[in-house]
Amino acid sequence: MSAEEQRDEQRTERAAGIVAHEDGAALDPEVRARLERDAKEIIARYPKPRSALLPMLHLVQSEVGYVSEAGIQFCADMLGITPAQVTGVATFYTQYKREPVGEYHVGVCINTLCAIMGGDQIWEELSEHVGVGHDEATPDGKISLERLECNAACDFAPVMMVNWEFFDDMTPEKAKQLVDDLRAGKPVAPTRGPSSVCSWKQASRVLAGFNDGRAGEGVQAGPESLRGLELAKREGWTAPEPEETTK
Amino acid sequence: MTTTLTPILTKTWDQADSFTLRGYENAGGYQAFRTALGMNPDDIIQAVKDSGLRGRGGAGFPTGLKWGFIPQGDGKPHYLVVNADESEPGTCKDIPLMMANPHVLVEGIIISAFAIRANHAFIYVRGEVLHVIRRLQQAVADAYEAGYLGTNILGSGFDLELVVHSGAGAYICGEETALLDSLEGYRGQPRLKPPFPAVAGLYGGPTVINNVESIASVPGIIANGADWFASMGTEKSKGFGIFSLSGHVTRPGQYEAPLGITLRELLDMAGGVRNGHRLKFWTPGGSSTPLFTDEHLDVPLDFESVGAAGSMLGTRALQIFDETTCVVRAVLRWSEFYAHESCGKCTPCREGTYWYKQMLKRLEKGEGSEKDLDTLLDLSDNILGRSFCALGDGATSPVTSSIQYFRDEYIKHFEQGGCPFDRAASTAWAGGK
Ligand SMILES: Cc1cc2nc3c(=O)[nH]c(=O)nc-3n(C[C@H](O)[C@H](O)[C@H](O)COP(=O)(O)O)c2cc1C
Ligand code: SF4
Ligand code: FES
């Protein structure tokens, strides 16, 4: 079976609930109390409580690391819906994981443009280097890998993401070095993002809508984003003045 | 006359503090909404109509007209939802916009919500862009702090709550009604239209859904006038837009220009196709828009001209591929994407994209015959126009256009029993030689 077929197979099985991660573990009471407090805050943001479900699933991942059975039960309890309804939603979206991912979840964009610009080669070399495939984690729980679809950064191709931070203009060598550094606990900074990569759980908390106060870090724009503006400045090109058009 | 760039939304992106409240205000930001709050909301809708602004999220529907569909005085809560899902392959303009200047979006939201009489607005942003989400969260928090959001904004009596809502990885949630289901806490699957969201949208209430760039264009229209906006672009495709060049081009990136600029002009600005190579095929507006070739270098990139030439302007996502690229490989990968992202609600798309994937895999390996191309076209006929939403239609674009322009290349795969291309030659590190 090719990696691609295996991926499809896993997806189908998981969607069918055949290989949900084995976890009977109930939520630790302290964790549950924290979750409840935060979930109430999320619910209060919306005109209707059920809108809170997506952020709450991110919240569960910020505590548990993935969407566990207990996490599903928790969301169901808070929103007064059934666990099956929560599961139906959780399995629809690729960012919700039904098994633990690594502390650093590393994605390689393999959509057409990045793939052709070298993303396929990056994926092959990286996957072999780390020794895991799509949606798998290393035994030490440090790194997991995912084949990503277009991440809206095509002008920076080939693109990688670590815990949803941008790593632009990648090569196979840079990709392997990046993962080695993450495993060695060395500080790693995204190309466009904060001054260091946070953990998967911390990232999930931001996705749940809790500002971590790091918006001010990092560049405002990458070099590619500025190409048109810089050319316009060099050439003296500007938009028309409002007066010119209203006379 | 040759077209030149018109930095408007991108104008401040080279300022280190462009994303902060202070940076935005120093550059003249948060003035237009003061003007707007003193206007009659209907006059704002009229100004947006007069400007000729058409949706920047792909379909190009006139924005002011859409706002005009919201029933007024109906006593129901109205909603404004910004579509920041940006997941169409090749599309990469809203993400840098929100990273570099989230406040122009917030200001656009205040004006737009005021115009349609909405007191609740949402930014539905894809979940895979953490730092952009931080920037949005901070911008919204700072706007509340400054009194630009919340109750009785600047003493105008207008109230607006704005929530940043992160998605969770699903391309289909960019489709506006799937987005609404997702925002309501369900699986993101499209709804039957009609009723259109303007009548029954979020929570069943009248709802406007607009793309990030559409809403971000509104402060400029209010500040500089509808005529100013309409002075750019073409007769039916007015104004400016961000054109995103990616792939085998010397200087890929974001180029903000009037609609109607051509790829030849843009490529000139971007240093041309990478050194020593030539253009083979490109997408004018993302992977869901039929491919163009070097025959189309002079097609004005506006809604009408691109349509007349057999494709769609879409999101101005210009993915450039040179002669080292195997078109069959490219189309297979896009088809795998559509198969993966198909929400499964309707049969033509769910099954059709699956069959695309299976067939193209065989064809790429050279295990096929010319007859398979007819089967692919036949299959495309059964998807296009028969799918529940535009995702299915979009999935047929790369398949049918590639067969139209590159039939010989498919046949070469069968003749050789495999792909005639060297993948290494297409990579960014192949050196452009
Ligand atoms: C599969 C699919 C994905 C879409 N993704 C997006 C998207 O990411 N962003 C967007 O603004 N519009 C997207 N659209 C278009 C929206 O349905 C809608 O037309 C648009 O948000 C309206 O805003 P506008 O009029 O300002 O362009 C998508 C449509 C489809 C069918
Ligand atoms: S066309 Fe595809 S994505 Fe759209 S409703 Fe049908 S199955 Fe879902
Ligand atoms: S194709 Fe990789 S970011 Fe768009």
Side-chain angles (χ1 to χ4, degrees), chain A residues 8 46 51 88 93 227 233, chain B residues 14 165 183 187 203 252 357:
Chain A
D8 284 357
Y46 297 93
S51 281
Y93 299 93
R227 290 249 164 89
K233 283 197 162 171
Chain B
D14 61 347
H165 184 93
L183 183 50
R187 296 163 74 91
Y203 313 124
K357 189 171 100 171

Side-chain angles (χ1 to χ4, degrees), chain B residues 7 16 41 78 93 115 119 124 126 141 151 166 183 228 288 308 341 353 411 419:
Chain B
H78 299 175
K93 63 189 180 68
N119 302 114
Y124 185 104
R126 66 179 299 179
T151 45
S166 304
L183 183 50
W228 166 81
S288 302
E341 301 296 330
T353 54
I411 292 173
C419 180

